[in-house]
Amino acid sequence: QVQLIESGGGLVQAGGSLRLSCAASGRTFSIYNMGWFRQASGKEREFVATISRSGFTTYYADSVKGRFTISRDNAKGTVYLQMDSLKPEDTAVYYCAAGYCSGYGCDDPRPYNYWGQGTQVTVSS
């Protein structure tokens, strides 16, 4: 069992930055691929970014590519999402997730077995 707790959300103006953190407890963090997903009000949950177990491979949704950066610190059991040049359309609840996946399958929520409770990100125009 893995428990995931997100933090770092908040209100920011368009063009600003936020850094989300997701701390894991329980089983060994480094054995899991980690992902960030988001869900805006009235919309389905969508993929944002994923990072491999080693941290060497990352993959991003086209909508955030070049603006968001995912990283992980296996020693601290934490995954991060640095969000720069934020836009109002980035407003959503952001969730981190842990699971087993490979390649482009990591943009699908189904391989992720464990989810955090979510943190709200609001970008004002």
Side-chain angles (χ1 to χ4, degrees):
Q1 192 76 8
V2 176
Q3 293 79 41
L4 302 173
I5 300 177
E6 301 102 334
S7 61
L11 174 64
V12 64
Q13 288 188 332
S17 298
L18 281 174
R19 188 193 196 202
L20 305 183
S21 299
C22 174
S25 62
R27 294 189 62 184
T28 306
F29 174 76
S30 61
I31 69 175
Y32 295 104
N33 293 82
M34 298 298 296
W36 284 97
F37 292 78
R38 66 187 182 186
Q39 187 167 17
S41 180
K43 296 187 177 181
E44 293 187 354
R45 189 169 299 190
E46 66 174 1
F47 167 75
V48 175
T50 185
I51 188 166
S52 63
R53 288 169 288 179
S54 66
F56 290 151
T57 302
T58 58
Y59 178 59
Y60 299 90
D62 288 342
S63 59
V64 306
K65 199 172 296 183
R67 300 187 297 121
F68 290 11
T69 303
I70 188 171
S71 62
R72 67 188 295 163
D73 185 333
N74 285 343
K76 295 182 178 180
T78 303
V79 62
Y80 305 96
L81 186 68
Q82 177 66 41
M83 304 186 295
D84 299 318
S85 302
L86 282 161
K87 305 175 181 180
E89 50 264 44
D90 294 318
T91 296
V93 177
Y94 283 71
Y95 299 90
C96 70
Y100 300 105
C101 58
S102 61
Y104 293 107
C106 293
D107 63 353
D108 189 325
R110 288 173 292 181
Y112 295 91
N113 305 105
Y114 305 103
W115 293 81
Q117 82 288 351
T119 185
Q120 176 70 47
V121 172
T122 303
V123 184
S124 63
S125 57

